[in-house]
Amino acid sequence: MPMDINESQIKAINHNKGPMLVLAGPGSGKTLVITRRTAKLIEEYGINPQNILVITFTKAAAEEMKGRFGRLTSGKCNGVNFGTFHAVFFTILKYAYGFQASNIIREEQRYQYMRDIIEQNNLEIEDEKDFISGIFSEISLVKGEGLDLDHYYSISCSEEIFKKIYEAYDNRLRRANLIDFDDMLVLCYELLRERQDILAIWQKKFRYILIDEFQDINRIQYEIIRLLALPENNLFIVGDDDQSIYRFRGAKPEIMLNFQNDYPNAKKILLDTNYRSSANIVSKAASLIKNNTKRFEKNIKAVKPLGHDVVIKTFKELKEQNSMVVANILQYYKLGIPFSNMAVLFRTNTGPRALIEKMMEYNVPFQMKDMVPNIYDHWIASNIIAYIKLAMGSRDRGIFLQISNRPKRYLNRECFAESQVEFAKLREYYSDKDWMIDRIDKLEYDIHLLKTMSPFAAINYIRKGIGYEEYLSEYADYRRIKGDELIDTLNELQEAAKPYKTYEEWFQHIENYKAELKEQASNRRNKDRDSVTMATMHSSKGLEYEVVFIVDANEGITPHRKAVIDADLEEERRLFYVAMTRAKEYLHIYSVKERYNKELTCSRFVGELLLDKEKLIPGTKVEHKTYGQGEIKENKQGRLVIYFDRLKKERTLDLEFCVQNMLLTILEEKQ
């Protein structure tokens, strides 16, 4: 950040009383504005530091903000309250109810409660970790939005089961005199609504409230803040609606969009200068985000010159993409850019397995920003490996139990009485049921066949010949999840096994991969290590790098296949925008044409950033991949009428189709 402060920043910093909305684009200096405005309140407006509350969303952000403020004021303005929403609300509850840290449920305890509830209700859950995580997200949503449990539609299980789980979990917390983070919000809101005397104490305490990353606020957090800000409403909110990416956690960008409706006298300032990224990156990112309809209009300017072109490339297959990423990283390193100034961003944390292996192969040091789930620990992988272990000669009871009814064979647990299983004894157990003996014979035959296969061929046979794929489809229906996601895991597993000729070789690779991930986990906190950051788009927020690679920019990945309604698609576009704006100088966006022998198309977002729709006006010269050069005659309701020179006639084209398939490029803008 330069020493001089721009006009918009000065206006925000100088704001004294009343509500203010500060729209802070990427790299526009929002932390500078918050810390300097806080200092201004104390040093020039005479506000007691203890009457100022600065709220962030994470503990790390609160500590960083506090540190920046301390350095700015040389420690002369101590007493300002810096904290997260949860920390602030817990302080209020502590005062009113005498809560202590021991009253907050520990994360591992929370998960154990849920495991117990699952077991008590005899729920058949394969993906326990994902299921529990999904249930907790839904509980947060219900509590945070104050939703009626009787009319809530669960995406994790049936409504009946969800209600039963919710109530059992809630009751268990109450019996143990414990609260979770969602309870903090609910209890605090109820307290401040019902106890005017307590509310008045905290209103007097927090006369000036500043909130960072306001676009991530949820409904109940906002309602509490509105109560605390009364009657003066000295509410200074800073954020960027274009970077709201936590809707799945209950964040509501419309709260920010409607802020001036709630506070009609609120002033609005746009921090429209990007100090981080080159003009090329800023321009491309703007072309993308303009496609969202529910947003504040902005014209973000770059301080830096044009810089390097954004590199957009499509590869035939994943292997080529990953090889290019590694080659580029090594090239940039040779040019003097440290590994720590480079990042590879992907949509989900299940995506980078093949790239991790490629980085390991070339000894490129890297650090995972997120805890990457080990695909070999996935329950599907566990089932597949169990089949292979049987093929390798194991007759362990536990392994048999794991696969006995995947797919359904109607084998009950009692028939596996011994620690070592014999097929002859299984037949003896079902001697009066010919149809069951047929199933046992088929299982023995399948295991025998698998014995001679390569890992890749074995997985293919398990999914097609044995019927495991059909089993996954049935399980997906039971769990109310998309079967495609389970099939993707199976595809990923099969692809991972492809290079290995024997089971022994593959198992050795699995152990090596596990060891690497373990080492990565232990290195995550080592900030001094010169290593490439590998992160999901979500966890990249707030970070910046000289070089950024966005990989797997394909439809179904980004935007994610789950994004079907407009609100979801707009959030996915914001997420891609966040990823793009992490780059300072070099931005690479890569996609593939094929994955798991399936054709893929490039993400629509790539088409949108390449083609600024606002520039598609009559008179603009364009080039079509098939029809050649032409001139736009009309742009009406998503239909482009273009006169093509080579064809010597007009064609009417669907704009969205052209954008998504990157068929059009602008040659010359109308003057």
Side-chain angles (χ1 to χ4, degrees), residues 500-528:
Y500 307 99
K501 293 178 182 176
T502 67
Y503 296 139
E504 288 80 8
E505 286 177 9
W506 189 42
F507 284 176
Q508 185 57 56
H509 164 74
I510 291 171
E511 289 306 311
N512 293 343
Y513 185 76
K514 282 182 178 178
E516 179 64 29
L517 285 189
K518 193 174 178 181
E519 187 180 339
Q520 284 300 320
S522 64
N523 287 333
R524 276 173 73 199
R525 291 189 179 136
N526 184 3
K527 294 178 182 177
D528 298 328

Side-chain angles (χ1 to χ4, degrees), residues 103-144:
N103 294 113
I104 305 172
I105 189 169
R106 300 186 313 278
E107 194 65 9
E108 63 271 20
Q109 194 178 2
R110 191 166 169 250
Y111 269 79
Q112 190 54 55
Y113 277 12
M114 196 57 72
R115 287 189 195 98
D116 294 343
I117 292 165
I118 290 169
E119 192 176 329
Q120 287 158 14
N121 285 276
N122 297 315
L123 299 178
E124 293 181 21
I125 305 297
E126 292 272 19
D127 51 336
E128 187 183 85
K129 193 175 177 182
D130 289 345
F131 177 76
I132 291 175
S133 180
I135 288 289
F136 278 137
S137 291
E138 291 195 66
I139 289 174
S140 291
L141 187 65
V142 170
K143 289 183 178 180

Side-chain angles (χ1 to χ4, degrees), residues 237-249:
I237 68 164
V238 183
D240 182 7
D241 55 302
D242 288 335
Q243 296 186 70
S244 179
I245 57 174
Y246 296 115
R247 209 164 67 89
F248 64 93
R249 290 184 192 165

Side-chain angles (χ1 to χ4, degrees), residues 390-605:
L390 291 178
M392 293 172 74
S394 174
R395 292 296 179 263
D396 183 79
R397 179 177 181 270
I399 294 175
F400 263 103
L401 284 171
Q402 194 172 346
I403 59 89
S404 60
N405 286 303
R406 297 173 177 87
K408 197 71 178 170
R409 298 184 180 91
Y410 299 96
L411 292 163
N412 64 47
R413 295 180 72 88
E414 285 70 29
C415 71
F416 302 104
E418 307 291 331
S419 61
Q420 295 294 304
V421 177
E422 296 177 28
F423 280 101
K425 287 191 176 180
L426 289 180
R427 291 188 191 90
E428 187 180 322
Y429 185 89
Y430 288 106
S431 58
D432 58 338
K433 295 182 177 68
D434 291 344
W435 60 279
M436 285 298 297
I437 290 175
D438 289 344
R439 289 168 188 250
I440 293 163
D441 288 346
K442 173 70 165 61
L443 177 59
E444 186 175 25
Y445 173 77
D446 289 335
I447 289 169
H448 180 75
L449 272 186
L450 290 171
K451 194 174 179 180
T452 57
M453 294 181 183
S454 68
F456 181 86
I459 296 172
N460 198 56
Y461 183 76
I462 292 166
R463 60 193 294 180
K464 306 288 187 187
I466 293 178
Y468 188 76
E469 205 167 296
E470 190 177 336
Y471 160 73
L472 288 183
S473 177
E474 291 169 359
Y475 181 74
D477 290 342
Y478 166 71
R479 274 276 285 108
R480 289 190 177 181
I481 57 178
K482 287 188 179 288
D484 289 352
E485 293 177 28
L486 302 181
I487 298 300
D488 278 355
T489 300
L490 197 52
N491 287 333
E492 183 74 17
L493 195 67
Q494 190 170 354
E495 193 68 22
K498 206 170 190 175
Y500 307 99
K501 293 178 182 176
T502 67
Y503 296 139
E504 288 80 8
E505 286 177 9
W506 189 42
F507 284 176
Q508 185 57 56
H509 164 74
I510 291 171
E511 289 306 311
N512 293 343
Y513 185 76
K514 282 182 178 178
E516 179 64 29
L517 285 189
K518 193 174 178 181
E519 187 180 339
Q520 284 300 320
S522 64
N523 287 333
R524 276 173 73 199
R525 291 189 179 136
N526 184 3
K527 294 178 182 177
D528 298 328
R529 185 169 175 251
D530 187 27
S531 53
V532 178
T533 296
M534 297 184 71
T536 61
M537 293 177 179
H538 279 103
S539 64
S540 72
K541 190 162 173 283
L543 305 175
E544 58 182 34
Y545 302 91
E546 205 74 12
V547 183
V548 169
F549 298 89
I550 298 174
V551 296
D552 301 332
N554 290 97
E555 284 291 304
I557 299 173
T558 177
H560 198 275
R561 66 164 70 90
K562 286 182 178 177
V564 286
I565 62 173
D566 288 346
D568 290 338
L569 283 168
E570 293 217 345
E571 173 122 337
E572 288 285 317
R573 191 174 284 109
R574 291 194 294 269
L575 187 56
F576 203 90
Y577 175 77
V578 166
M580 287 181 69
T581 53
R582 301 309 94 198
K584 293 159 72 173
E585 296 293 341
Y586 303 93
L587 176 60
H588 296 248
I589 301 173
Y590 291 163
S591 59
V592 295
K593 290 181 180 177
E594 183 183 288
R595 193 164 188 166
Y596 314 133
N597 297 317
K598 286 195 320 192
E599 280 190 22
L600 295 177
T601 56
C602 193
S603 170
R604 70 188 73 185
F605 300 153

Side-chain angles (χ1 to χ4, degrees), residues 76 321 650:
K76 296 172 186 173
Q321 173 191 269
E650 292 179 351

